[in-house]
Amino acid sequence: MAASTAQVLSLYRKLMKESSKFPSYNYRTYALRRVQDAFRANRSVEDPKMVEQLLNQGRDNLDMIRRQVGLPQTHAHTHTVCVCVLEARDASHVLVYTYKTKDVFYFNFTFSIHESTFV
Amino acid sequence: MMRKTVTTKLLGSLRGFPSHRVNYAVNAVARELIKSRELENDELRPLYMDFQATTPMDPRVLDAMLPYQVNYYGNPHSRTHAYGWESESAMEKARKQVADLIAADPREIVFTSGATESNNMSIKGVARFYKSKKKHVITTQTEHKCVLDSCRVLEAEGFDITYLPVKTNGLVDLQLLEGTIRQDTSLVSVMTVNNEIGVRQPVEDIGRICRSRNVFFHTDAAQAVGKIPINVSDWKVDLMSISGHKIYGPKGVGALYVRRRPRVRMEPLQNGGGQERGLRSGTVPTPLAVGLGAACDIAQQELEYDHSRVSMLANRLVRKIMSEIPDVVMNGDPEQRYPGCINLSFAYVEGESLLMALKDVALSSGSACTSASLEPSYVLRAIGTDEDLAHSSIRFGIGRFSTEAEVDYTADKCIQQVKRLREMSPLWEMVQEGIDLKSIKWTQH
């Protein structure tokens, strides 16, 4: 069964979707970044056997991520000090840096809107 | 209404944006405000920038370990039933994975409880085995505490130990090493990558020297394994310590590489049923060994990717900090190092107060095992840093899971706090006025 572009893209989308379910900021960002970089690095692979092997690796990784995000996450760090909320759909970045000094909350917002992505 | 005014106060004027975008922004900010208010009682977790102390477990490692924690719980040394056989085959697979990372034979790997045990085993074991003919052991002043302490114990037993000084860049002087090796030297122990300043010793040259003089060469590679390419045959290493929790594996497991050709003989530290070639008796903890194997396997695959990423982040951090504030010193050789371990000394700033000020980033000054005492790190003293600079040093650790956002935040926060602390420092005032601090005669009151 020759691997088609649709299969590769479908696997990519599934991997990204599952990776974004990690509650921990560090694991989530690593998984998303690693998947993206791995697919980019292997973009120009031609040999069908190699492609099949890479796709199988990808499927194994997908199963692994599914198992890991399905683990009971009772103590997951959902909020580290630096929490980046990226809404890919709207392409508006809200970077929230919060830190506690004694009892006072300081909010330091960097808010940027990419005009070109507005419809 | 209140939400809108609070958020407009925070964001500044939102004039000029279409109203649906403004509403979206207001809602997003409000969501974050609510989330943060909910979190007011629990602390926000600090950013983790201390990858030399320990590393979080890679999800792939946990995934490999779980079956052996839950279902396949047999003792790998049980020969008579399937639980034993499957556990043993998992352990042997893990052994092969560890061996492949350092280009060794699986039979040369001994599972231990960590790098501390491996260091103890190799130093005490080799020295004691050859005790009748060879009484001299050489090590350096920047070694890990467990190596130095094992040598101290050997000294009490009647051995002769030479603690080689290091140059100001942290590297060992090879001529000095050659000159120190005697006829009755049994072991040389030099760590590959230092855990406090990140310098990478010239292990290939040290191995060559030791092999030519017929001396065993032990290296503590806990911080180097999986981060730089290692080949025990090219390096002519006879003993190598590996730690699980430094390479995104589980805590409580490590390994020791013991060369078989030419054979390294050692007295076992832990006696018992003769497991692990008689060198380390005791049931091998299968889930931990499987975790170590998986961590080594992943490290081998990800070595290049991780190294380039860590180098990039490290350069980003150092360049940002050094370009914004003056009088920052990087301890250790700038070239011969592992990029992920950065030790910076901020002049005219007290290290502890800087660490307290950087409360929302998990950093350390000096290694975890020496951070309880008030003394500045012995490693910094060994490389000849001034007392005051040694007190104001911070170690930044960058690893596989670090992000650009974390590095930027750390750099910004560090710059801000150093500036603030320097404003408060009378020494900084004096330096700004041009007074040479070394010429001041401090009087007692």
Side-chain angles (χ1 to χ4, degrees), chain B residues 180-251:
Chain B
T180 317
I181 296 179
R182 317 199 296 233
Q183 287 291 77
D184 66 337
T185 305
S186 57
L187 183 70
V188 167
S189 176
V190 180
M191 71 193 321
T192 315
V193 171
N194 190 287
N195 56 323
E196 288 193 38
I197 52 180
V199 288
R200 184 197 181 291
Q201 301 287 357
V203 264
E204 298 94 339
D205 299 319
I206 301 174
R208 192 179 27 87
I209 294 171
C210 291
R211 186 59 67 83
S212 66
R213 302 289 295 269
N214 238 345
V215 176
F216 290 124
F217 176 36
H218 164 257
T219 181
D220 178 3
Q223 297 286 348
V225 166
K227 302 194 172 126
I228 57 173
I230 296 181
N231 188 314
V232 287
S233 305
D234 290 347
W235 288 9
K236 300 191 170 58
V237 166
D238 299 304
L239 296 144
M240 178 182 281
S241 305
I242 298 164
S243 176
H245 71 112
K246 304 282 167 38
I247 51 172
Y248 313 96
K251 293 177 179 59

Side-chain angles (χ1 to χ4, degrees), chain B residues 49 60 81-82 104 165 183-184 189 193 230 245 249 253 257 269 282 288 294 297 383 385 418 420:
Chain B
M49 295 284 291
R60 292 167 279 192
H81 49 71
Q183 287 291 77
D184 66 337
S189 176
V193 171
I230 296 181
H245 71 112
V253 72
Y257 160 76
L269 213 55
L288 296 178
D297 192 35
I383 62 172
T385 1
V418 166
R420 185 181 72 90

Side-chain angles (χ1 to χ4, degrees), chain A residues 22 25-27 29-31 33-35 37-38 57 60-61 63-65 67-68 71 75-87 89-92 94-100 103 105 107-111 113 115 117-119, chain B residues 10-11 14 17-18 20-21 24-25 28-29 31-33 35-37 39-48 51 56-60 62-64 66 298 301-302 305-306 309 360-361 400-406 408-409 412-413 416:
Chain A
F22 272 113
Y25 167 75
N26 291 97
Y27 287 162
T29 48
Y30 176 74
R33 190 188 340 122
R34 191 71 191 92
V35 165
D37 288 346
Q57 269 176 28
D60 289 338
N61 278 317
D63 289 338
M64 181 277 296
I65 296 175
R67 281 194 295 268
Q68 288 301 307
L71 283 179
H75 303 290
H77 310 175
T78 43
H79 293 91
T80 53
V81 168
C82 157
V83 173
C84 300
V85 177
L86 288 156
E87 304 281 12
R89 227 174 351 138
D90 304 276
S92 56
V94 177
L95 282 159
V96 177
Y97 295 118
T98 60
Y99 50 96
K100 220 175 183 176
D103 297 311
F105 261 103
F107 289 94
N108 185 2
F109 281 85
T110 312
F111 195 96
I113 301 180
E115 299 284 40
T117 56
F118 284 134
V119 175
Chain B
L10 287 163
L11 294 170
L14 292 169
F17 292 127
H20 62 289
R21 285 292 143 208
Y24 176 75
V29 166
R31 274 201 302 273
E32 285 307 312
L33 280 171
K35 224 190 285 178
S36 315
R37 237 180 290 134
L39 291 170
E40 224 170 70
N41 294 325
D42 6 317
E43 286 284 317
L44 287 173
R45 303 285 308 182
L47 302 181
Y48 193 72
F51 281 81
M57 267 212 317
D58 196 299
R60 292 167 279 192
L62 182 60
D63 195 62
L66 274 176
I298 293 165
Q301 288 167 16
E302 304 277 345
Y305 179 84
D306 281 345
R309 199 176 146 70
D360 28 344
V361 185
R400 185 182 290 168
F401 299 108
S402 301
T403 61
E404 282 88 342
E406 287 181 329
D408 288 340
Y409 181 85
D412 289 336
K413 204 69 201 302
Q416 181 190 41

Side-chain angles (χ1 to χ4, degrees), chain A residues 100, chain B residues 46-47 49-50 342-344 346 349-368 370-373 390-397 410 413-414 417-418 420-421:
Chain A
K100 220 175 183 176
Chain B
L47 302 181
M49 295 284 291
D50 199 11
I342 304 158
N343 194 307
L344 297 177
F346 300 93
V349 168
E350 219 277 306
E352 288 301 321
S353 39
L354 182 57
L355 269 186
M356 290 302 116
L358 290 171
K359 240 330 185 5
D360 28 344
V361 185
L363 292 167
S364 86
S365 67
S367 71
T370 58
S371 54
S373 70
H391 272 290
S392 49
S393 73
I394 306 271
R395 178 184 70 185
F396 299 87
T410 306
K413 204 69 201 302
C414 191
Q417 294 303 325
V418 166
R420 185 181 72 90
L421 286 169

Side-chain angles (χ1 to χ4, degrees), chain B residues 242-445:
Chain B
I242 298 164
S243 176
H245 71 112
K246 304 282 167 38
I247 51 172
Y248 313 96
K251 293 177 179 59
V253 72
L256 177 65
Y257 160 76
V258 185
R259 182 174 281 279
R260 286 177 81 243
R261 288 211 186 91
R263 190 170 284 266
V264 178
R265 310 288 301 277
M266 46 195 269
E267 240 182 50
L269 213 55
Q270 189 156 312
N271 306 99
Q275 288 88 3
E276 300 294 293
R277 287 166 56 195
L279 294 171
R280 203 271 184 190
S281 301
T283 305
V284 170
T286 314
L288 296 178
V290 164
L292 177 62
C296 290
D297 192 35
I298 293 165
Q300 186 161 43
Q301 288 167 16
E302 304 277 345
L303 206 132
E304 267 184 57
Y305 179 84
D306 281 345
H307 191 94
S308 60
R309 199 176 146 70
V310 166
S311 310
M312 183 268 290
L313 287 173
N315 282 333
R316 192 181 174 123
L317 179 72
V318 174
R319 240 181 314 118
K320 203 159 188 194
I321 291 181
M322 291 207 164
S323 63
E324 296 275 325
I325 41 182
D327 296 311
V328 178
V329 176
M330 177 149 82
N331 298 308
D333 195 285
E335 308 290 310
Q336 292 289 327
R337 55 171 30 251
Y338 170 63
C341 175
I342 304 158
N343 194 307
L344 297 177
S345 282
F346 300 93
Y348 321 115
V349 168
E350 219 277 306
E352 288 301 321
S353 39
L354 182 57
L355 269 186
M356 290 302 116
L358 290 171
K359 240 330 185 5
D360 28 344
V361 185
L363 292 167
S364 86
S365 67
S367 71
C369 37
T370 58
S371 54
S373 70
L374 293 170
E375 285 269 309
S377 147
Y378 63 91
V379 173
L380 292 177
R381 217 180 317 130
I383 62 172
T385 1
D386 283 334
E387 189 80 25
D388 46 344
L389 275 182
H391 272 290
S392 49
S393 73
I394 306 271
R395 178 184 70 185
F396 299 87
I398 298 177
R400 185 182 290 168
F401 299 108
S402 301
T403 61
E404 282 88 342
E406 287 181 329
V407 164
D408 288 340
Y409 181 85
T410 306
D412 289 336
K413 204 69 201 302
C414 191
I415 292 165
Q416 181 190 41
Q417 294 303 325
V418 166
K419 281 185 178 157
R420 185 181 72 90
L421 286 169
R422 279 182 176 167
E423 292 293 301
M424 297 196 287
S425 162
L427 291 177
W428 178 247
E429 264 181 56
M430 293 199 270
V431 165
Q432 299 291 72
E433 288 167 16
I435 302 172
D436 175 23
L437 291 181
K438 298 235 190 304
S439 64
I440 298 176
K441 286 196 171 55
W442 303 102
T443 55
Q444 293 274 63
H445 284 283

